[in-house]
Amino acid sequence: MGDRVRTSAAAVPHHTRLPAYARGCAGTVVGVEGRWPLADARAQGAVVVQPVYTVRFSASELFGAGSHSVTLSMWEEYLT
């Protein structure tokens, strides 16, 4: 916990649970939610289990304004 991460900025041609507004954004890991099937892979008929992290982002990082923070659940594949 406490690791600084950045979400993938890549556009994908399939279903993804990585919100467009969070692509390419920097945040901080504040929790670990366990290992869960990656929704992107399940939508394509595959089962890929990965760690899921709670990541805190500043609102200004996500939306360009705001003094609050937003937490999102992120599969490991979405993070660098």
Side-chain angles (χ1 to χ4, degrees), residues 25-55:
C25 293
T28 302
V29 175
V30 295
V32 180
E33 299 179 22
R35 296 176 58 82
W36 296 93
L38 177 63
D40 302 29
R42 289 196 72 168
Q44 297 176 47
V47 177
V48 176
V49 178
Q50 292 186 350
V52 176
Y53 301 96
T54 304
V55 181

Side-chain angles (χ1 to χ4, degrees), residues 1-78:
M1 288 196 304
D3 291 345
R4 292 285 297 165
V5 295
R6 182 169 297 278
T7 62
S8 171
V12 293
H14 54 74
H15 171 81
T16 183
R17 295 292 299 265
L18 173 56
Y21 64 82
R23 292 186 188 151
C25 293
T28 302
V29 175
V30 295
V32 180
E33 299 179 22
R35 296 176 58 82
W36 296 93
L38 177 63
D40 302 29
R42 289 196 72 168
Q44 297 176 47
V47 177
V48 176
V49 178
Q50 292 186 350
V52 176
Y53 301 96
T54 304
V55 181
R56 181 184 311 132
F57 299 90
S58 68
S60 60
E61 175 75 10
L62 296 176
F63 310 117
S67 59
H68 61 287
S69 63
V70 177
T71 57
L72 298 172
S73 296
M74 295 276 150
W75 273 271
E76 185 172 67
E77 181 167 303
Y78 301 158

